[in-house]
Amino acid sequence: MIYGDNFSMGGLAGFAFGGVTSFGAMSHHIPEGGSCLVMYGPHVGVDLEGNVGKVNRRGRGGSGACCGSANAAAAYVKDVRGGKREEQANPEDILDAQQTWVGAQLIPYGERLETADDADVELPLALYDAQNELMTRIVSAGCGEVAGEGLICLLGGIQINTESSAAEYFLPKRFEILNNKGESVADLLSELMA
């Protein structure tokens, strides 16, 4: 094994709902002087007809929403901006708390989605920006939990899901190594994309 065990911090639409507590717990599984790779970001589907935001699923006829949580959040934002509904307060019940939070995190990107040439293409990009901001805050708060001289490699981007007989893709948007003080050691994105 090259990377060892996986530690999931994720939730709906790819947001790291585990937050700083989850990052700290993950860090405590890294041996002293060991490093970690944190891969994060939303996903989006592309179906057989090339429609972004949909995917053909095994055993199901036609294509369906991918990511359903992202699409629901975008519809919520559109309704709030259009005056069809009020912004939801933070949920008091856990029943659908993650989806409520995904919608709230997308609100600042509402105008960007409205004015985009293709909102289905812009949606995962906006979600990535929201998630990158969150991941930056999480790592900044929790980086000291990585012991010794360990490093934190952040690989953020968009997972592109396709139907089962086609290859899947990943669009990298951030590839950076930080030390356990949160300082950038290397930005590798331009090298990766060359």
Side-chain angles (χ1 to χ4, degrees):
M1 267 206 229
I2 295 173
Y3 294 106
D5 295 329
N6 171 40
F7 191 99
S8 179
M9 295 172 52
L12 286 180
F15 279 94
F17 281 98
V20 177
T21 301
S22 182
F23 186 87
M26 177 271 304
S27 297
H28 297 159
H29 289 271
I30 302 170
E32 180 127 356
S35 298
C36 64
L37 170 66
V38 179
M39 189 170 181
Y40 64 96
H43 72 113
V44 66
V46 178
D47 72 9
L48 288 170
E49 287 76 44
N51 297 307
V52 175
K54 296 181 179 282
V55 72
N56 300 86
R57 290 188 171 86
R58 186 178 53 245
R60 308 276 312 238
S63 63
C66 180
C67 166
S69 173
N71 287 340
Y76 163 75
V77 169
K78 184 177 181 179
D79 285 351
V80 168
R81 290 185 55 82
K84 293 181 181 174
R85 66 183 299 176
E86 296 289 320
E87 269 190 68
Q88 291 178 293
N90 288 333
E92 295 179 14
D93 187 347
I94 192 86
L95 189 62
D96 210 15
Q98 284 192 20
Q99 184 58 45
T100 301
W101 201 82
V102 172
Q105 294 308 295
L106 201 55
I107 286 282
Y109 301 92
E111 182 176 350
R112 176 174 160 183
L113 293 173
E114 279 180 13
T115 60
D117 290 338
D118 187 336
D120 292 327
V121 171
E122 194 63 33
L123 178 58
L125 296 168
L127 283 168
Y128 169 78
D129 288 344
Q131 291 173 24
N132 187 54
E133 181 182 326
L134 175 63
M135 187 57 69
T136 298
R137 290 176 50 217
I138 290 169
V139 172
S140 178
C143 61
E145 296 298 319
V146 176
E149 298 297 315
L151 299 172
I152 303 156
C153 180
L154 296 176
L155 178 56
I158 300 167
Q159 175 67 37
I160 302 168
N161 302 125
T162 60
E163 58 89 24
S164 62
S165 68
E168 302 254 306
Y169 299 92
F170 184 77
L171 173 64
K173 303 286 286 171
R174 181 179 187 182
F175 191 25
E176 183 177 14
I177 298 175
L178 307 174
N179 63 23
N180 63 2
K181 294 172 187 64
E183 301 163 337
S184 183
V185 174
D187 186 342
L188 304 172
L189 186 61
S190 59
E191 191 175 319
L192 176 68
M193 301 303 283

